[in-house]
Structures are given as structure tokens and as C-alpha cells.
Amino acid sequence: MSVHHAFDNAPSADGCWHNLRLAPDLFASDHGVGEDTPACIVVRDGRIDWVGPRQALPALHAGLPRHDGRGMLATPGLVDCHTHLVYGGQRAGEFAMRLAGASYEEVARAGGGIVSSVRATREASEDELFAQAAPRLAQLLDEGVCAIEIKSGYGLALEHERKQLRVARRLGQAFGVTVRTTFLGAHALPPEYAGRSQEYVDLVAGTMLPALAAEGLVDAVDVFCERIAFSLAETEQVFQAAQRLGLPVKLHAEQLSNMEGAALAARYGALSCDHIEHLSETGIQAMRGAGSVAVLLPGAFYALRDTQVPPIAALRAAGVPMAVSTDHNPGTSPCLSLLLMASMACTLFRLTVPEALAGITRHGARALGLQDTHGLIAAGRPAHFVLWPVGQAAELAYWFGSRPGCTIVRQGRVVRRAP
């Protein structure tokens, strides 16, 4: 049965989930619970009512229906906070070009890159885009993702950006998953605006964004600020338009060079700055002051064979929260495993296991403005959690490339049970 159809028929998760263990640092409780302490999670009306050690379970919960956790490790539902999940076609040919020596910029100048996905996306109908994106989303959900961001940015015209965002909304409804939509109209310059960058930015900020926001299709606004994309001044113009509409901003920042985009984004209170391989100390301090999350995208780093590692030690020292995401996209990170990204964040970027797990839960939620509902197991929150058949939390990053048979509770329903 597909995840899509499974959600419609999924049973309620209400009751007492017992005989489980809680991953450290990923739940909010007054009780001291170690990774090996037998614990319980109580769900009522689709929300977490109580969480803590088994011996402290209040008597009033004793008569509830019981769900045996079979000694599994509980984490919050995973959060994939940066994806481009809705697009037409694929770009395996460019992968081969890069392996043969072409740079990211050379691929883009040859008519490949983002613009090739724009062509395929424009040619696809809304239903075709939904049909292509659905199995991608299903694969992520099957690994425990309970909230996901989906960006536009492959339409680069009002009707096609609208099409992408409408598909993102439909996916959330069809699969019973929290989807945050991000308008990325300033992703690349469409071919029909070649040499007329300012005119296109005027269109994005003055026409496209207000229209799509009025239709309820935009939760946040993003820009690709880079030499091959949009300048600081153009980025700020889009941010100002978002600010007028009361929409939070995010930024593709410092991926290929240091444009000091993170500092600009921080001035607008950005939810997150993403990629950030070339992030400066100025940018780090600005992000710290603004409370912006640093979103690490090891999939793109790996696929592009990058060598500039994000300044992890400096981010850690400054106390900037670090999220980890798939950056699923057809050109530079066609990955559909958030656990693999957590492992790669450890091996390639030197995150610790607790940092990586917080990156795909707590900090990922914060990067989407979902910190009050996702990313932690805590009383009063919607029931989003995953039970993993592992002995210790480190195994979630250790077994890279595997897909553990987990039990998934999403939006208060049991959408999957471990074998």
C-alpha cells in the first residue's frame, strides 16, 4: 500500500506507547531520562499528553489503550527543511558532464543547470508534476519525515511558479504531512529575461510574490544570492517585498563564494541561511544576533565534489543552531534520505551524532518556523514521532544507506509499523 493511501486509513495513535526509550536531547520533559531508561509517550486526541520514564507514568493514564514500543528508540518526526521536491524531468546528463570536468558555472552557461529544469517544469501539467513528486515524497516519509519544506523556483513565471506551489500544497493534503511552501522566484534568470535581471526582479517582487501570497500559496520567501544568480541589491528588493507582506525570508547564501548574503538575510530576521560553505565570521555573528538557523546541505557538497567545508567549529562556538537537510533537487542533490544526510554531515562536515540528530529534528523545525509543533517530543504538541529498531541513537547516522524498519506516528496517526 502506498504512503498516500495508507494515511487515509491509518489508525489513531491515541493511547499509551510503552516499552520504548527516548533519544537524548530530543524530548522536553522535567524528568531525567537516559537513552536506556524505559519510557512512555501518552497520546490523546492526536496530541502528546505526557512523556517520561515508565515508573513516573501518572495513574490516570493506566487504563488507556496500550501500544508496545518493543524496546525501540523514540525520536521526534524528522524535518526536511530545504527541498526543491516539485520539478519536471531530471538532470543525470549534467552529473556526467561534471564528472567529465565541467564546473557548476560552466554547466549553467551551457544552458543546463536550473534553466533546464525550468523548461521541463513549464512543459509539465500540474497533475504531471504531482505524479512525479509523489513517489519522491513517499520515499522521504517512509524514513520518518513528518514536516518538509518545498520550494518553487523552477517555473520562473507566475503561472508556473503557481503550479509548483499548488502541487506542494496538494502533496501536504494528500499525504497527511506538514508542508511549508517557499517562493523561490528569484532562483535563476529565465531565458526570456536574459540581460534584463532588474526587470525580472521587479516582476518577482512586484507582481509574482504579491499574487501568490494573496492566493495563500506562500509560507516563506527565498532567493539564490550568488554570482551566477542574484546580487545583494536584488536580493534585498525581494526581501523588502516579503517584509511588506509579512512573510519570513530564507536565503541560499555563500554556497559558491562569499557575497555576505547571510548578513543581509540576518538584517531581515531570516529563518535560515542555507549552504553557507563560504560563510564569514561577519555572517556568523549576524546570524547569531538574528537567531537564524544555519542549514547544512551535504548532498550538494558531495554531488558538486566541493572542498570548502562550512565553518562548523565557528558556528558551534557562536551557538548558531545547525540544521541538516537533503536539498533534494534534480541538479545537485537528487537524494531522498535524510538519514543519509545526517551521516554525511557527520563524516564530511564533522558534526557530532547529537548535532546531526538535532539538525534533522529540532533545528530543522526551527528553520521552518515550526519549532512550536515539530522537532521535539513534548506534551501539548501534535504527535509526530518515530520508533527506531536500534540499540543506540548513534546507529541512525552509523548505518548509512540503510532504511531501518521504523514505526511512524504522523499527525496523530500510526502511518507505519515496524515489521
Side-chain angles (χ1 to χ4, degrees):
M1 184 186 293
S2 72
V3 177
H4 180 182
H5 293 111
F7 186 79
D8 294 335
N9 304 309
S12 168
D14 283 8
C16 178
W17 292 76
H18 66 103
N19 190 19
L20 50 81
R21 297 167 298 120
L22 296 170
D25 305 319
L26 296 178
F27 62 95
S29 174
D30 294 328
H31 311 291
V33 182
E35 190 173 329
D36 296 320
T37 306
C40 298
I41 299 172
V42 175
V43 179
R44 284 183 186 266
D45 300 322
R47 303 184 79 81
I48 295 172
D49 198 54
W50 186 88
V51 57
R54 183 180 61 199
Q55 67 268 25
L57 180 70
L60 66 100
H61 298 316
L64 293 175
R66 308 279 280 182
H67 302 273
D68 188 353
R70 293 156 45 196
M72 290 191 285
L73 183 77
T75 71
L78 307 187
V79 179
D80 197 354
C81 66
H82 179 129
T83 87
H84 306 253
L85 200 73
V86 176
Y87 55 85
Q90 49 80 19
R91 283 155 55 190
E94 289 175 28
F95 176 66
M97 279 178 66
R98 284 199 304 273
L99 292 177
S103 71
Y104 186 102
E105 295 186 20
E106 286 167 345
V107 168
R109 291 197 190 104
I114 292 166
V115 174
S116 65
S117 289
V118 171
R119 284 194 298 271
T121 302
R122 287 179 173 183
E123 290 167 2
S125 69
E126 185 177 314
D127 286 344
E128 287 169 338
L129 290 175
F130 181 91
Q132 290 178 53
R136 299 173 198 139
L137 179 59
Q139 199 166 325
L140 289 165
L141 299 187
D142 212 34
E143 200 179 68
V145 168
C146 290
I148 186 169
E149 184 223 35
I150 300 177
K151 302 179 189 290
S152 67
Y154 291 124
L156 308 187
L158 178 56
E159 64 179 304
H160 300 298
E161 291 286 298
R162 176 187 286 122
K163 186 169 63 176
Q164 280 191 277
L165 294 168
R166 281 174 53 86
V167 169
R169 285 278 190 252
R170 282 177 59 187
L171 288 166
Q173 292 162 2
F175 284 81
V177 62
T178 303
V179 170
R180 299 297 280 180
T181 56
T182 296
F183 172 63
L184 182 56
H187 193 196
L189 198 60
E192 64 271 22
Y193 278 87
R196 296 186 293 139
S197 180
Q198 185 57 56
E199 285 182 49
Y200 180 66
V201 172
D202 290 344
L203 177 71
V204 167
T207 301
M208 293 165 66
L209 175 54
L212 296 169
E215 293 169 29
L217 293 174
V218 182
D219 295 323
V221 178
D222 193 358
V223 177
F224 186 19
C225 180
E226 194 54 74
R227 289 176 314 210
I228 61 169
F230 296 94
S231 69
L232 280 173
E234 290 165 338
T235 299
E236 184 162 26
Q237 184 179 340
V238 177
F239 281 1
Q240 288 170 344
Q243 190 176 62
R244 286 192 295 272
L245 293 164
L247 292 168
V249 301
K250 305 165 74 68
L251 191 66
H252 280 63
E254 276 63 280
Q255 180 185 11
L256 307 175
S257 62
N258 178 27
M259 301 265 291
E260 296 294 358
L264 170 66
R267 291 208 302 275
Y268 285 84
L271 288 171
S272 69
C273 297
D274 304 31
H275 286 290
I276 58 154
E277 282 86 349
H278 294 264
L279 181 65
S280 69
E281 183 62 27
T282 300
I284 291 171
Q285 294 306 319
M287 290 175 66
R288 177 187 184 179
S292 302
V293 176
V295 177
L296 308 175
L297 304 171
F301 176 91
Y302 167 81
L304 292 171
R305 295 188 294 179
D306 205 345
T307 55
Q308 177 73 37
V309 177
I312 302 301
L315 288 164
R316 186 184 288 138
V320 174
M322 294 180 283
V324 176
S325 183
T326 62
D327 186 21
H328 177 83
N329 75 82
T332 60
S333 189
C335 174
L336 289 166
S337 170
L338 195 51
L339 289 183
L340 177 58
M341 294 299 96
S343 179
M344 287 169 61
C346 294
T347 56
L348 299 178
F349 294 166
R350 306 296 191 266
L351 262 62
T352 65
V353 168
E355 284 173 336
L357 296 184
I360 60 175
T361 53
R362 198 158 37 108
H363 298 323
R366 183 171 170 181
L368 296 181
L370 294 174
Q371 61 269 27
D372 294 335
T373 54
H374 292 71
L376 280 176
I377 296 175
R381 290 169 173 254
H384 302 292
F385 58 88
V386 187
L387 306 183
W388 306 91
V390 298
Q392 54 183 298
E395 290 184 61
L396 296 177
Y398 167 75
W399 295 108
F400 65 90
S402 73
R403 288 191 173 270
C406 50
T407 290
I408 301 168
V409 171
R410 189 173 71 246
Q411 295 189 355
R413 298 199 200 184
V414 187
V415 296
R416 176 177 166 176
R417 285 194 184 273

